Amino acid sequence: MTDAQDTAADSSLRTTGGTPPDEAGSSAAGAATPLLEPREGIPPVIADAEALAEVVAAFAAGTGPVAVDAERASGYRYGQRAYLVQLRREGAGTALIDPVACPDLSALGEALSGTEWVLHAATQDLPCLREIGMRPDLLFDTELAGRLAGFPRVGLGAMVENVLGFVLEKGHSAVDWSTRPLPEPWLRYAALDVELLVDLRDALEKELDRQGKLEWAREEFAAIAAAPPAEPRKEPWRRTSGMHKVRRRRQLAVVRELWETRDRIARRRDVSPGKVLPDAAIVEAALAVPANAHALAALHAFGNRVGRRQLDQWQAAVDRAKALPESALPQPGQQITGPPPPRAWADKDPAAAARLSAARAAVTALAEELNMPQENLVSPDTVRRVCWEPPAQPGTDAVALALGGHGARNWQVAQVAPVLSAALDKAAAQES
């Protein structure tokens, strides 16, 4: 029995099976028990200042880590704001908070200062939590912990089942959480999402310690907690699905005008941009560059579903793109600040292509040896940058310095620098 199983077996939640991965990265789960109800039942939704103050006091008086989760309305509303926040802590129980009715949770965030927050896939929830005043000093990410420990499936449901032996009902993960009032089955689902997070955290901590990876995980968690908010994307319209079909500059201008028009409408109406106009419609219009609204209506993605007023609105965006002078048209492709795409290396710099091939093979082998995904061992972009512009002097120390300069964490540098240095030396020897 592994340490993670010991933790699960010792838990007050009697588990029925499930193991962390063995050395081959597989898990052997027994029959799992459906988790149907929160331990103390479904708590009332906190939606006023008085009830929120009581929650703040209760969680400040609680002990141990606090499980935190947030539900968004992706695909329904504009942006990624939180529409429900769930917390659970020993001594405080579970709380469900409506951040629409209580948009400032900074008092709760302050009450939890210095407390370890347990989240699953923390980078998904932290941006919307920051918007309402909740910022962790310390965190434990159970999804990232699962990746580092070598679990093949790291979704919350799979982790809870494989480690703790319980099955979470996941039928409401993609619902419209901006709905008010929230139906009871959704609230039950939301409460259960934090029911076992701390138990999962404890099991994974022991498993990481058993594998000698706990300090690695702590360094990763600290980096996530300390990371500043992401910078707004430059030219976000270039991420329109299907953009690879659009080659001409005038067509790119049509994509940009339609995307920006759609974004303004979606923001004003507070709906998902895809509900205003699908990406496929933007790309189809850009490829056709219709002469008028009648021609636009003939396109498959517009057709009968789009009213005359909307057609005029979209055609006006197309017309603005058509009227732009050549100097104002966007350039093909995004500006590349790092190395070129690897597919171009063989032509641009065959020696760099050989270095990258050797480096990829070495990093892949090390990731398999450590039983973790390659991208968690070291960012593929970091490997590419080191291979494109290798250190002037060979050796592990120089490679380590280069890795650190590209943002690799200390544990990553310690693991990767020796094998990457050897791969670069091997490629250099073959070239000579």
Side-chain angles (χ1 to χ4, degrees), residues 67-89:
V68 182
D69 190 21
E71 304 295 347
R72 300 176 299 279
S74 303
Y76 297 93
R77 296 288 183 177
Y78 186 88
Q80 294 295 316
R81 67 169 297 182
Y83 283 95
L84 188 70
V85 176
Q86 309 101 279
L87 304 97
R88 182 174 181 84
R89 192 180 191 191

Side-chain angles (χ1 to χ4, degrees), residues 1-18:
M1 180 177 284
T2 67
D3 286 338
Q5 286 175 290
D6 287 336
T7 300
D10 289 344
S11 171
S12 59
L13 308 166
R14 292 177 57 84
T15 63
T16 57

